[in-house]
Structures are given as structure tokens and as C-alpha cells.
Amino acid sequence: MKLSGKVAIVTGGSRGIGKAVARIFTEEGADVVITAREDSRLQSTAKQLGVIGFAGDVRREEDVENVVKKTLDKFARIDILVNNAGIFPEVRPLHEISKSEWSEVVDTNLTGQFLFTKAVIPHMMRNGGCVVNVSSDAGLRTFENFEADAYSATKAALIHLTKTWAIEYAKYKIRINCVCPGIVETDMTEPYLRTEADRAMAVAEHPIGRIGRPEDVAKAILYFATEDSSWVTGAILPVDGGISVK
Ligand SMILES: NC(=O)c1ccc[n+]([C@@H]2O[C@H](COP(=O)([O-])OP(=O)(O)OC[C@H]3O[C@@H](n4cnc5c(N)ncnc54)[C@H](OP(=O)(O)O)[C@@H]3O)[C@@H](O)[C@H]2O)c1
């Protein structure tokens, strides 16, 4: 068991990639706290996986501090943070994006990661720790007709912040790494994978010849959360069936 004795917080852990991370971390012996806004789904996932669910909105600093406090009250330490919660906006060109749509994505996908990292770092400074950021291929390169500018901007910023935080906190034995998934089958991508034609197009994008499963990304995140990666910090790992090298 690679994570026995470790305490992990997984944001956006109620479904999709976050849920797969919570499952694999639990299988490896970690005590896992998952967080998300919708409490009923969060508690049902927590029960199913045998983890703890503390509801909260990553955009609200008081919610973030509350999740961290409750985790410390229960487990007295935090070793791993997976900054996974995120949203994908309605697709439209830049000149049609409203300020409120823009801000909602930035607040969730970027300010949320800042708030959670800021809240856990002082506790990790005692024993060391790991932060894994979930960015996207959309943060690494552009895609024609992608039309989700706020999303791309937040994911690119998270890649840069991974490197910035890695340098800043290496002296405290806190490692900060990042995964960049391609298209993974979750609620987020379901609207774009409804027809056979859409699905075939998505599959064709990936040189490996299939779209991703949440477990594909969870296994890469597990690597960054364990001692297997003890000499790795500031790394940006595409987990994308090869899209990023096309
Ligand atoms: N699926 C893909 O193809 C793909 C590709 C590249 C990167 N990613 C990234 O991977 C991460 C997970 O994506 P996913 O596909 O698993 O998405 P998902 O299935 O839509 O799940 C998103 C999770 O984030 C939570 N969440 C959303 N807004 C939140 C907020 N303001 N506060 C707290 N929790 C919030 C959701 O719960 P509530 O709605 O209850 O809050 C849910 O648990 C995201 O950062 C996404 O950008 C996904």
C-alpha cells in the first residue's frame, strides 16, 4: 500500500476523475476527504468509496478553510492535495463570452486551486507533502474551434503555477506536479460524446486510438502522490493518448 498513513484531500471528488482518484488513493491505504458543492451526490460517493465527504465551493475562501479545518480535526494532518475541481463553460467565441461566464470559470478553475493550495501549505510545511494540479491539454496547446478561452487560460495558468509553487516550496519538501488530460469520459465531456459521430471524432483525435477513462488519469496522479515520484517536482505530465505530441 503506497499511501498508508497518508491523508489526502481531493477536490471535485464526487464524480469523474476526482472520484477515480479517491478510489485509487483509498485502495492504496490513504485516508481520503472528498469535496464538491452538491452534498447529496458527495455523500453518496463518500459512502460508496468509504471516504469522508465535506461539502464546499472552491470559489469561497470560507468553504475552503472549513474543509481544511474539518480534515485536520478528523485526521490531524494533510499530506496530499489534488486540485481537481473544475468546470467547462458553454462553448462560444471570445467576442460572445460574458464577463460573468469568464469570471465563473476563472474563480472555479484557478482561484479555487489558489485558495486550496494556500490553505494546505502551512500544514504541509511541517511534514512535507504533495500537491497535484489537474490542468488539461487545453493548457498546453491550442485546438481549432475549441472556443473555451477562459478554460484554456486557467489551465495554462495552472501549469505555470505548478512550476512556480514547485520552486517556492521545494525547501519544505512539498512537491507540486501537474497532469494534463486529453478527452476523458466524464459528465464534463458527456455533451460532446453523445452521438456515434462525435465519439468517433474524439477517438480519432487521440493517437492511442481511444478516449481516456478517469482511471487513466487517476493512476498518473497516484504516481505524483507517492514516494515513487520523490525526486519529481514541477513536472507537467500529459495523460492524453498522445494528443499533445501531434
Ligand atoms: N473530462 C475531461 O475530458 C478533462 C480533460 C482535461 C482536464 N479535465 C479536468 O479534470 C478535472 C475533473 O474533470 P471531470 O471531467 O472529472 O469533471 P466532472 O465530472 O464534471 O466533475 C467535476 C467535479 O468538480 C466539482 N466542482 C465543480 N465546481 C466546483 C466548485 N465550484 N467547488 C467545488 N467543487 C466543484 C463537481 O462537483 P459539484 O458540481 O457538486 O460541485 C465534480 O465533483 C477538471 O479540472 C477538468 O477541467 C477534464
Side-chain angles (χ1 to χ4, degrees), residues 1-7 25-31 77 79-80 226:
M1 300 252 261
K2 293 186 168 182
L3 293 177
S4 117
K6 302 290 184 189
V7 176
F25 277 15
T26 306
E27 286 166 2
E28 290 295 338
D31 287 313
R77 57 186 291 148
D79 303 286
I80 301 157
T226 67

Coordinates of all heavy atoms in Angstrom, one line a residue, residues 1-7 25-31 77 79-80 226:
M1 N 0.9 -1.2 0.0 CA 0.0 0.0 0.0 C 0.9 1.2 0.0 O 1.6 1.5 1.0 CB -0.9 0.0 1.2 CG -1.8 -1.2 1.3 SD -3.5 -0.8 1.0 CE -4.1 -0.8 2.7
K2 N 0.8 2.0 -1.1 CA 1.7 3.1 -1.3 C 1.4 4.4 -0.5 O 2.2 5.3 -0.4 CB 1.8 3.4 -2.8 CG 2.5 2.3 -3.5 CD 2.7 2.6 -5.0 CE 3.7 1.6 -5.6 NZ 4.0 1.8 -6.9
L3 N 0.1 4.4 0.0 CA -0.3 5.7 0.7 C -0.7 5.4 2.1 O -1.4 6.2 2.7 CB -1.4 6.4 -0.1 CG -1.0 6.9 -1.5 CD1 -2.2 7.5 -2.2 CD2 0.1 8.0 -1.4
S4 N -0.3 4.3 2.7 CA -0.7 4.0 4.0 C -0.2 5.1 5.0 O 0.9 5.5 5.0 CB -0.4 2.6 4.3 OG 0.4 2.5 5.3
G5 N -1.1 5.6 5.9 CA -0.8 6.6 6.9 C -0.9 8.0 6.3 O -0.7 9.0 7.0
K6 N -1.2 8.2 5.0 CA -1.3 9.5 4.4 C -2.8 10.0 4.4 O -3.7 9.2 4.3 CB -0.8 9.4 3.0 CG 0.6 9.0 2.8 CD 1.6 10.0 3.4 CE 3.1 9.5 3.1 NZ 4.0 10.4 3.8
V7 N -2.9 11.3 4.5 CA -4.2 11.9 4.5 C -4.3 12.8 3.2 O -3.4 13.6 3.0 CB -4.5 12.8 5.7 CG1 -5.8 13.5 5.6 CG2 -4.4 11.9 7.0
F25 N -6.7 6.1 -4.3 CA -6.0 6.5 -3.1 C -6.4 5.6 -1.9 O -5.6 5.2 -1.1 CB -6.2 8.0 -2.7 CG -5.4 9.0 -3.5 CD1 -4.7 8.6 -4.6 CD2 -5.3 10.3 -3.1 CE1 -3.9 9.6 -5.3 CE2 -4.6 11.3 -3.7 CZ -3.9 10.9 -4.8
T26 N -7.7 5.4 -1.8 CA -8.2 4.5 -0.7 C -7.7 3.1 -0.8 O -7.3 2.5 0.2 CB -9.8 4.5 -0.8 OG1 -10.2 5.9 -0.8 CG2 -10.4 3.8 0.4
E27 N -7.7 2.6 -2.1 CA -7.1 1.2 -2.3 C -5.6 1.2 -1.9 O -5.2 0.1 -1.5 CB -7.2 0.9 -3.8 CG -8.7 0.5 -4.2 CD -8.9 0.5 -5.7 OE1 -7.9 0.6 -6.5 OE2 -10.0 0.2 -6.1
E28 N -5.0 2.3 -2.0 CA -3.5 2.3 -1.6 C -3.3 2.7 -0.1 O -2.2 3.1 0.3 CB -2.8 3.3 -2.5 CG -2.6 2.8 -3.9 CD -1.8 1.5 -4.0 OE1 -0.9 1.2 -3.1 OE2 -1.9 0.8 -5.0
G29 N -4.4 2.8 0.7 CA -4.3 2.9 2.1 C -4.4 4.3 2.7 O -4.3 4.5 3.9
A30 N -4.7 5.3 1.8 CA -4.8 6.7 2.3 C -6.2 6.9 3.0 O -7.2 6.2 2.7 CB -4.7 7.7 1.2
D31 N -6.2 7.9 4.0 CA -7.5 8.4 4.5 C -7.8 9.6 3.5 O -7.0 10.5 3.4 CB -7.3 8.9 5.9 CG -7.2 7.8 6.9 OD1 -8.0 6.9 6.8 OD2 -6.3 7.8 7.7
R77 N -3.6 15.9 10.2 CA -2.6 16.2 9.2 C -3.1 16.2 7.8 O -4.2 15.6 7.5 CB -1.4 15.2 9.3 CG -1.9 13.7 9.1 CD -0.7 12.7 9.3 NE 0.3 12.8 8.3 CZ 1.6 12.6 8.5 NH1 2.0 12.2 9.7 NH2 2.5 12.7 7.5
D79 N -1.4 15.4 3.9 CA -0.2 15.1 3.2 C -0.3 15.3 1.7 O 0.7 15.6 1.0 CB 0.1 13.6 3.4 CG 0.3 13.2 4.8 OD1 1.3 13.6 5.4 OD2 -0.6 12.6 5.4
I80 N -1.5 15.2 1.2 CA -1.7 15.3 -0.3 C -3.0 16.2 -0.6 O -4.0 16.0 0.1 CB -2.0 13.9 -0.8 CG1 -0.8 12.9 -0.5 CG2 -2.3 13.9 -2.4 CD1 -1.2 11.5 -0.6
T226 N 2.8 9.6 -4.5 CA 3.6 8.6 -3.7 C 5.1 8.8 -3.7 O 5.6 9.7 -4.5 CB 3.4 7.2 -4.3 OG1 4.0 7.1 -5.6 CG2 1.9 6.8 -4.4

